[in-house]
């Protein structure tokens, strides 16, 4: 008794999304597709060799036999899954992991291997679509077939990535080198795939955590070279590169008392992120370290990015700052440099102290009457802008950024 396309997708034992989709198709589809297994496998192989230069050469020897076998078994496995038959697809993880291992062994590229899978998936779908149109398969059947094909390609590709990465890790030799490679993959841009990271973490005997934090390091000038940091065994460290850093898989544990474990080092702590976003944590840790070097974030042994988010935000783009200054501080345009400097510091203090004259006078170390005189000048220059919350915020942002940079606001240049 054949199943219809409207039946609920079953949950076959121990299978992934692709096989669930295959099993949801009417079983008669397997009978129709089975005579096309060989020509479909040939079409896939032709497309892979055409689309990926690394596979354009004749596929000879053990490697060639394995590629052909993998394509044939992939096609047969999908057809068998429509009928929920036991097949070689049940051993698919092992077969396609071996493909990845063999590609690495023969010096092949992981990028080319993944491109081959994508090309094979496209070829399979074109063949199925042509066959479906010729036999007038229902559109719903073709839609599920397309989804199943690409889900299956993603599934077997992940097996090969795991096999390739594990072979790469084993070839790396020592555990230390594997952890160094894992650190490189975690900080790679664009980020490495989760499958690659998980496989490399297993090879490095490193438990993949839920959260990580990256810390950028800078040796203090009085100690060359600085002492090796006193860190837990699972902290990933690079002290030999041009921009030293470390990654902790347990921020709550390692950030407490960090100063005492980094003698001779200045550290900037990036934000806590998921492992796949470790490169982002490093980016902001390095930007925070740059603020420290420029004297814009104090000079503590350890500086946290989270404590300087507003500063980062204000200084992230100099072009936008100059554009904002030209707009928000346009009333300063006709003044002399001395007048601009004096009135801008008064205006910033006025905004920060909510117009409290005694507090402004104390902050600027001037007489309250001088404050009142300057505020009167500012009222004449800015008029209603100082009563508009949005414009007042823009003015304060521009003034604060230039105050941090120690530069003159670029007012009225438009």
């Amino acid at each position: 008794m054949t199943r219809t396309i409207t039946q609920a997708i079953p949950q076959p034992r121990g299978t992934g999304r692709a096989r669930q989709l295959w099993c949801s198709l009417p079983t008669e589809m397997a009978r129709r597709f089975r005579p096309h297994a060989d020509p479909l496998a040939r079409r896939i192989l032709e497309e892979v060799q055409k689309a990926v230069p690394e596979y354009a050469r004749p596929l000879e020897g053990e490697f060639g036999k394995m590629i052909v076998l993998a394509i044939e078994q992939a096609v047969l496995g999908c057809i068998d899954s429509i009928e929920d038959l036991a097949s070689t697809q049940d051993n698919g993880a092992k077969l396609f992991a071996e493909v990845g291992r063999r590609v690495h062994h023969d010096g092949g590229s992981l990028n080319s291997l993944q491109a081959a899978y994508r090309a094979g998936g496209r070829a399979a779908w074109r063949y199925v679509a042509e066959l479906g149109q010729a036999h007038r398969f229902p559109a719903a059947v073709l839609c599920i077939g397309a989804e199943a094909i690409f889900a299956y390609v993603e599934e077997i590709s992940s097996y090969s990535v795991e096999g390739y990465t594990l072979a790469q890790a084993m070839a790396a030799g020592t555990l230390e080198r594997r952890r160094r490679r894992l650190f490189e993959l975690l900080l790679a841009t664009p980020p490495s795939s989760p499958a690659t990271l998980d496989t490399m973490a297993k090879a490095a005997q490193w438990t993949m955590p839920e959260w990580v934090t990256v810390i950028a390091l800078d040796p203090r000038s009085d100690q060359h070279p600085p002492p090796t940091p006193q860190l837990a065994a699972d902290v990933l460290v690079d002290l030999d590169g041009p921009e030293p850093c470390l990654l902790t898989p347990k921020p709550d544990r390692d950030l407490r008392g960090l100063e005492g474990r980094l003698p001779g080092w200045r550290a900037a702590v990036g934000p806590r992120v998921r492992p796949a976003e470790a490169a982002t944590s490093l980016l902001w840790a390095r930007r925070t370290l740059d603020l420290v070097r420029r004297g814009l974030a104090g000079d503590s042994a350890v500086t946290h990015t989270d404590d300087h988010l507003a500063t980062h935000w204000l200084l992230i783009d100099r072009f936008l700052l100059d554009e904002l200054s030209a707009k928000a501080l346009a009333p300063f345009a006709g003044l002399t440099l001395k007048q601009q400097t004096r009135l801008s510091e008064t205006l910033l203090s006025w905004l920060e102290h909510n117009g409290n004259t005694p507090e402004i006078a104390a902050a600027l170390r001037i007489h309250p009457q001088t404050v009142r005189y300057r505020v009167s000048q500012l009222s004449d220059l800015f008029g209603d802008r100082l009563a508009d919350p949005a414009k007042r915020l823009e003015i304060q942002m521009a003034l604060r950024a230039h105050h941090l940079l120690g530069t003159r606001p670029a007012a009225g240049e438009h």
Side-chain angles (χ1 to χ4, degrees):
M1 184 175 178
T2 60
R3 288 162 290 172
T4 65
I5 204 70
T6 57
Q7 285 180 286
I9 295 176
Q11 301 294 325
R13 60 191 180 281
T15 60
R17 174 66 176 160
R19 192 161 181 179
Q20 293 176 27
L21 290 163
W22 291 126
C23 289
S24 74
L25 291 169
T27 52
E28 65 183 86
M29 292 294 106
R31 177 182 57 79
R32 294 196 182 190
F33 276 113
R34 205 169 290 282
H36 294 271
D38 287 341
L40 174 54
R42 287 195 297 272
R43 176 80 69 86
I44 291 171
L45 181 58
E46 290 170 1
E47 182 63 28
V48 167
Q49 292 191 294
K50 184 191 305 181
V52 186
E54 193 169 310
Y55 295 96
R57 57 185 171 82
L59 296 176
E60 301 172 338
E62 292 300 316
F63 177 73
K65 290 179 184 178
M66 175 166 288
I67 295 297
V68 173
L69 174 65
I71 293 174
E72 291 174 349
Q73 295 307 321
V75 173
L76 288 174
C78 291
I79 294 173
D80 287 346
S81 289
I82 296 175
E83 296 182 298
D84 198 16
L85 298 176
S87 73
T88 50
Q89 187 180 2
D90 294 334
N91 297 317
K94 184 176 180 180
L95 172 63
F96 291 103
E98 180 60 19
V99 170
R101 190 196 69 77
R102 174 62 66 172
V103 169
H104 179 270
H105 180 269
D106 289 357
S109 159
L110 181 57
N111 287 338
S112 292
L113 178 60
Q114 292 176 301
Y117 276 113
R118 292 192 293 270
R122 291 193 299 269
W125 166 237
R126 283 197 294 268
Y127 189 101
V128 169
E130 292 167 6
L131 184 64
Q133 290 173 351
H135 290 273
R136 302 193 178 195
F137 293 167
V141 169
L142 291 177
C143 288
I144 290 183
E147 188 177 355
I149 287 170
F150 292 111
Y152 182 65
V153 168
E154 182 178 352
E155 185 176 297
I156 61 177
S157 175
S158 70
Y159 294 144
S160 289
V161 168
E162 183 169 348
Y164 185 101
T165 307
L166 188 56
Q168 185 181 53
M170 300 309 293
T174 68
L175 185 63
E176 181 181 352
R177 286 206 295 268
R178 292 177 204 168
R179 290 200 170 185
R180 188 178 303 123
R181 177 59 180 151
L182 172 62
F183 200 9
E184 292 172 356
L185 289 174
L186 284 165
L187 299 180
T189 303
S192 304
S193 70
T196 299
L197 291 176
D198 286 342
T199 301
M200 195 66 212
K202 290 175 186 175
Q205 299 177 27
W206 193 79
T207 302
M208 187 65 68
E210 184 177 4
W211 299 97
V212 300
T213 294
V214 182
I215 300 168
L217 301 173
D218 195 18
R220 290 184 176 272
S221 58
D222 56 343
Q223 288 184 288
H224 291 287
T228 301
Q230 303 163 19
L231 303 167
D234 59 352
V235 174
L236 302 179
V237 183
D238 175 14
L239 300 181
D240 301 322
E243 296 182 296
C245 59
L246 60 89
L247 179 149
T248 168
K250 297 180 180 178
D252 292 340
R253 176 197 67 190
D254 293 324
L255 296 184
R256 289 195 302 268
L258 185 60
E259 296 87 344
R261 292 192 294 277
L262 296 173
W265 294 93
R266 178 186 290 110
V269 180
R272 190 177 73 156
V273 297
R274 302 291 184 183
E277 299 171 321
T280 300
S281 183
L282 176 60
L283 170 67
W284 287 103
R286 285 177 173 164
R287 288 183 175 178
T288 300
L289 199 54
D290 184 59
L291 290 182
V292 174
R293 294 187 186 114
R294 294 160 62 189
L296 301 178
D299 189 28
S300 300
V302 177
T303 305
H304 292 260
T305 297
D306 288 350
D307 294 335
H308 299 277
L309 296 178
T311 300
H312 280 299
W313 181 59
L314 287 171
L315 305 183
I316 196 167
D317 192 301
R318 184 56 191 261
F319 173 79
L320 290 180
L321 172 58
D322 288 342
E323 290 291 299
L324 177 65
S325 298
K327 172 190 172 186
L329 306 180
F332 283 151
L335 304 180
T336 65
L337 175 59
K338 184 177 181 180
Q339 289 173 321
Q340 286 189 29
T341 301
R342 184 171 63 241
L343 289 179
S344 64
E345 69 176 10
T346 303
L347 180 52
L348 178 59
S349 186
W350 182 82
L351 290 166
E352 292 180 339
H353 293 92
N354 296 314
N356 186 300
T357 298
E359 291 182 4
I360 298 170
L364 299 180
R365 297 181 181 179
I366 58 177
H367 195 277
Q369 188 58 38
T370 304
V371 173
R372 296 186 186 94
Y373 173 70
R374 292 183 186 177
V375 169
S376 176
Q377 288 181 291
L378 291 168
S379 297
D380 291 340
L381 288 169
F382 284 84
D384 293 340
R385 298 186 191 205
L386 297 182
D388 185 320
K391 289 185 172 60
R392 199 163 59 236
L393 177 60
E394 289 182 343
I395 293 169
Q396 186 169 357
M397 288 164 53
L399 290 171
R400 167 51 65 182
H402 284 289
H403 177 76
L404 286 168
L405 292 171
T407 58
R408 180 176 65 87
E413 294 180 359
H414 285 286

